[in-house]
Amino acid sequence: GKQLLLVAQAAGQTNLWTWPLDDLAGDRALRQVTSTSGGKADAQWAPDSREVYFRDGGRLAAVAVESRAVRPVAVAAELDVD
């Protein structure tokens, strides 16, 4: 990818930020991607590098990096106890 993903705390909130790694990029500023109040953890790029999956206060969510739109991700699991 051409962006570094950071999980950082500012003003008492933990959020996701991106930093362009391309030397030819015009704007090399740190860019805030999320702005929700829940704690962020376990951030992972999607295979197409357009979204980032992360835990937001215990829930799974995804954020589109360009539009910064956060959406919940539904998860289902089965457990067999022997």
Side-chain angles (χ1 to χ4, degrees):
K2 295 182 180 183
Q3 296 186 68
L4 177 67
L5 180 65
L6 303 162
V7 179
Q9 190 173 34
Q13 290 187 345
T14 303
N15 282 296
L16 302 178
W17 303 72
T18 58
W19 176 266
L21 295 175
D22 186 6
D23 289 337
L24 301 176
D27 184 16
R28 292 201 28 116
L30 192 62
R31 182 173 180 245
Q32 187 173 353
V33 179
T34 61
S35 59
T36 56
S37 61
K40 315 298 181 296
D42 302 321
Q44 177 70 45
W45 285 101
D48 64 3
S49 299
R50 293 182 184 183
E51 285 188 313
V52 173
Y53 294 97
F54 62 98
R55 282 190 308 121
D56 185 7
R59 297 184 186 127
L60 191 57
V63 60
V65 176
E66 289 302 315
S67 67
R68 296 184 257 183
V70 177
R71 65 177 174 84
V73 175
V75 176
E78 291 185 22
L79 174 66
D80 291 332
V81 177
D82 187 13

